[in-house]
Amino acid sequence: MTPLHDNLKDLQYDIKVQTHDGEEVYRTVTLLSDSGAQSLHGRGTRVWKVVRVKDGEAVGDPVVLKDSWVDLDRPREGAILQEICGMAASEPVDKTLSDALLTVECYGDVVIDGDGDRCIDRTTRMNLSDLPTHGSDTDTVVIKLLLHCHHKVHHRVVFKEICQTIQQLVSFHDKFRVLGQTSIILKALHGFGWVHRDISSGNILMDSFGRAKLVDLEYAKKLDGGDSVAETQVGTSKYMAVEVGARGYRFRPPLDLPPIPKDYILRSTDFDSISEGDSALNIPPPPRPILPIPIRGPVTPFRYNPIHDFESLWWLATHFMLKIEALYINEQGPPPARSLDELREQRNWSLFLSYDRTERLIALSDSDKFQEILCSLHPSVKPYGLALDTWRSRITCAHRQAQQTPILNADAAMRGLYDAFSQDLFTMANALARKTVVTEESEKERLAQLTAAAEVQGTSATKRRLDTQIESHEDDRNPGGIDVATPPHKKARIVRPVRAILVEGPAARTRSRTKANAR
């Protein structure tokens, strides 16, 4: 990466991308995204709009270059995209998936002095139980720390399409419409035997034609378990499925406990038959029979499944719904103002469901809890919340149905849900297209505009009032409106600065002399 000049306000780079056939050079045009790039933990992703450079000159159409640090032992995103697109191309009947993925132009790891640019991410938290409990076994500590660290490699990939993330879209109509398209895309992706594992607002895009694009497939995985990559917790926390965050199943049926024998229940002691010298504590209780330990059938380890992707999409729609504070039709004007307590409660729920795992689990599995959340919404937004509550119930039912057997059957549990959820999201989008959406950001912008307009209006009104006072003062002092010199024997009664009018010439002296004679 080479800077072209020292101007920090308009800094450009020539970035090399190492490929299998050599290297390509791209020149940055503008920075599209650097969210989280300054964090010590993460992938440090930066995305630029770039153009290819040939012989020192920029040529061709603009493309997108993604620069990030990825896990060393994982397949690269470009290779995964090419593999999935190759599978989709083998079945021309369904092009939904191939149309929803970005086109890879080139990709490769960064090479410095003939070796890969690598590092170790040591910011991963480690459980205290993993540390040695006695002695000073330094080698054991080092080995355990290395096992819990993530080995990263610097990687770059170039895509041909330039898109916007769903988070950057201003229109909620476009947001819910793109979510509806994403539900169909997930159906195609899961049908090809893959799961995305990181459905979030930054990984769903919209291109210039209004079509949804699914990106960041670095952590995508085959459902058949053909790859040798270990199952790890991945995804964005605020949109992550609750089971993925807990790393365990939460909707499995309870154990079938055998009936308790009748003689296992202790009868109450007859205290009347105990003499004064005896103690109830010295009376031996009747023997307890040994209960058989309930044994469940073989249970497979926790694995990410398509329902988790679908749940993440639901969390994303719920997050957008909680951002809507009111809706109104333009002809009817804005709705009545809400109390600050109601607004604060709705905003707090948005935060709790984003970062509190306990609240997220209760909100997903408990209908009463989600109804409490809906009570904080504006009446115009509640119909959207009720629709998402219905889907909350259907998602939990899908989890329970899939977890009835030791080997999960997510395909049967998800049958028919993709299309129905997509249709409901499209219905929400069409309803939002005819209404004005009030959010916290829009209210801040509106209040700022009103404040600025009031300041301008107040300044103009003050200026007009002062001008009126000045003109009135001049009329009282000089009915003719001409400023003449005050006679030296009279005391000036001007109490504030007034506008001075320069009077020169014989005509002005004649008028002044005429007015003086008239007095």
Side-chain angles (χ1 to χ4, degrees):
M1 179 182 294
T2 306
L4 298 183
H5 49 74
D6 296 333
N7 185 5
L8 296 179
K9 294 183 179 180
D10 190 21
L11 189 59
Q12 286 183 295
Y13 299 95
D14 278 352
I15 303 178
K16 294 181 180 179
V17 179
Q18 197 74 28
T19 65
H20 298 289
D21 301 329
E23 65 179 21
E24 298 287 347
V25 181
Y26 294 88
R27 181 166 298 168
T28 61
V29 177
T30 181
L31 180 65
L32 298 178
S33 174
D34 61 348
S35 178
Q38 305 298 331
S39 176
L40 294 177
H41 178 68
R43 290 179 284 177
T45 303
R46 289 179 173 87
V47 182
W48 282 280
K49 179 181 178 181
V50 298
V51 291
R52 181 178 292 185
V53 176
K54 289 291 186 181
D55 299 327
E57 298 294 333
V59 296
D61 297 329
V63 292
V64 172
L65 187 149
K66 177 181 175 182
D67 180 281
S68 61
W69 292 81
V70 300
D71 292 344
L72 180 62
D73 59 344
R74 289 210 57 83
R76 305 299 181 256
E77 183 178 3
I80 294 176
L81 283 171
Q82 290 180 349
E83 181 178 357
I84 295 177
C85 289
M87 294 172 61
S90 63
E91 298 183 11
V93 178
D94 186 5
K95 295 186 61 179
T96 303
L97 186 58
S98 59
D99 293 340
L101 301 179
L102 298 180
T103 306
V104 179
E105 186 168 291
C106 61
Y107 66 92
D109 296 341
V110 178
V111 177
I112 299 179
D113 296 332
D115 195 8
D117 188 13
R118 302 177 182 179
C119 71
I120 299 177
D121 184 3
R122 294 186 174 89
T123 57
T124 304
R125 293 184 179 181
M126 182 175 176
N127 295 328
L128 295 178
S129 59
D130 296 328
L131 295 174
T133 57
H134 61 279
S136 58
D137 193 351
T138 307
D139 295 336
T140 303
V141 174
V142 171
I143 292 175
K144 288 182 177 292
L145 287 175
L146 289 177
L147 289 176
H148 284 79
C149 290
H150 289 281
H151 296 261
K152 300 284 188 179
V153 61
H154 200 177
H155 182 73
R156 290 168 182 159
V157 57
V158 179
F159 303 107
K160 292 183 179 181
E161 297 87 355
I162 301 176
C163 306
Q164 282 183 295
T165 65
I166 193 174
Q167 187 69 28
Q168 296 172 336
L169 299 178
V170 178
S171 171
F172 277 78
H173 161 70
D174 291 336
K175 290 184 178 183
F176 280 86
R177 183 177 55 82
V178 170
L179 289 179
Q181 296 179 14
T182 306
S183 180
I184 303 300
I185 296 172
L186 287 180
K187 177 183 177 181
L189 181 66
H190 298 160
F192 277 93
W194 287 73
V195 284
H196 187 277
R197 302 208 302 167
D198 192 9
I199 299 297
S200 65
S201 60
N203 294 336
I204 300 176
L205 312 182
M206 186 183 76
D207 63 7
S208 57
F209 299 99
R211 298 175 301 188
K213 297 285 185 178
L214 199 59
V215 298
D216 202 0
L217 274 78
E218 176 191 347
Y219 293 106
K221 197 171 183 180
K222 291 182 178 179
L223 287 171
D224 57 7
D227 54 357
S228 59
V229 181
E231 184 79 18
T232 58
Q233 185 187 44
V234 296
T236 306
S237 59
K238 63 193 305 183
Y239 309 117
M240 186 184 297
V242 293
E243 289 188 341
V244 178
R247 299 187 185 185
Y249 297 115
R250 289 293 181 268
F251 300 95
R252 296 191 68 86
L255 292 173
D256 296 331
L257 299 177
I260 300 177
K262 295 182 179 179
D263 55 355
Y264 182 77
I265 302 176
L266 296 178
R267 295 181 174 87
S268 59
T269 305
D270 186 4
F271 290 97
D272 295 335
S273 62
I274 302 176
S275 62
E276 296 181 358
D278 296 332
S279 173
L281 299 178
N282 297 328
I283 300 176
R288 298 185 181 183
I290 300 176
L291 294 177
I293 300 176
I295 300 176
R296 194 198 297 266
V299 179
T300 57
F302 177 76
R303 297 297 298 271
Y304 198 102
N305 62 70
I307 308 178
H308 297 141
D309 273 351
F310 194 80
E311 182 187 332
S312 295
L313 187 65
W314 176 84
W315 280 115
L316 185 54
T318 303
H319 178 76
F320 286 151
M321 183 265 298
L322 288 174
K323 289 295 183 181
I324 301 176
E325 297 186 350
L327 295 169
Y328 67 93
I329 301 175
N330 297 332
E331 292 77 6
Q332 298 179 357
R338 300 173 63 192
S339 65
L340 292 179
D341 292 338
E342 293 176 338
L343 290 175
R344 190 178 297 111
E345 183 180 3
Q346 178 178 346
R347 293 168 185 174
N348 287 340
W349 278 122
S350 178
L351 293 175
F352 290 153
L353 297 185
S354 297
Y355 304 105
D356 194 320
R357 291 183 177 179
T358 303
E359 293 288 350
R360 287 164 55 84
L361 176 60
I362 297 175
L364 180 66
S365 57
D366 189 354
S367 176
D368 294 337
K369 187 68 172 182
F370 201 82
Q371 289 295 328
E372 180 183 352
I373 298 173
L374 297 183
C375 291
S376 66
L377 298 176
H378 189 269
S380 60
V381 188
K382 283 185 179 179
Y384 301 86
L386 292 173
L388 292 176
D389 184 30
T390 302
W391 280 103
R392 177 202 60 79
S393 177
R394 299 186 72 173
I395 290 172
T396 55
C397 289
H399 277 301
R400 292 189 177 94
Q401 180 180 348
Q403 297 176 19
Q404 288 289 334
T405 56
I407 300 177
L408 272 67
N409 187 1
D411 294 337
M414 289 294 297
R415 189 171 293 118
L417 295 188
Y418 299 100
D419 295 333
F421 191 38
S422 175
Q423 186 61 41
D424 284 355
L425 290 172
F426 288 148
T427 303
M428 294 181 189
N430 294 333
L432 289 169
R434 299 187 295 268
K435 296 180 180 179
T436 298
V437 180
V438 180
T439 63
E440 182 179 1
E441 291 76 13
S442 65
E443 278 296 286
K444 289 181 179 179
E445 183 179 356
R446 186 180 69 86
L447 291 176
Q449 293 176 354
L450 291 177
T451 303
E455 291 177 354
V456 173
Q457 185 178 5
T459 303
S460 302
T462 303
K463 184 177 184 299
R464 288 195 300 269
R465 186 167 59 253
L466 290 177
D467 292 343
T468 302
Q469 293 176 358
I470 292 172
E471 292 175 357
S472 176
H473 176 76
E474 290 178 349
D475 293 340
D476 293 340
R477 185 172 59 87
N478 188 353
I482 300 175
D483 189 12
V484 295
T486 304
H489 61 277
K490 291 186 178 182
K491 186 176 180 181
R493 62 186 184 91
I494 300 176
V495 295
R496 62 173 62 88
V498 299
R499 293 178 297 178
I501 301 177
L502 185 61
V503 180
E504 293 182 355
R509 288 193 295 271
T510 302
R511 286 194 298 269
S512 300
R513 194 179 304 113
T514 302
K515 289 183 180 182
N517 295 333
R519 295 193 189 98

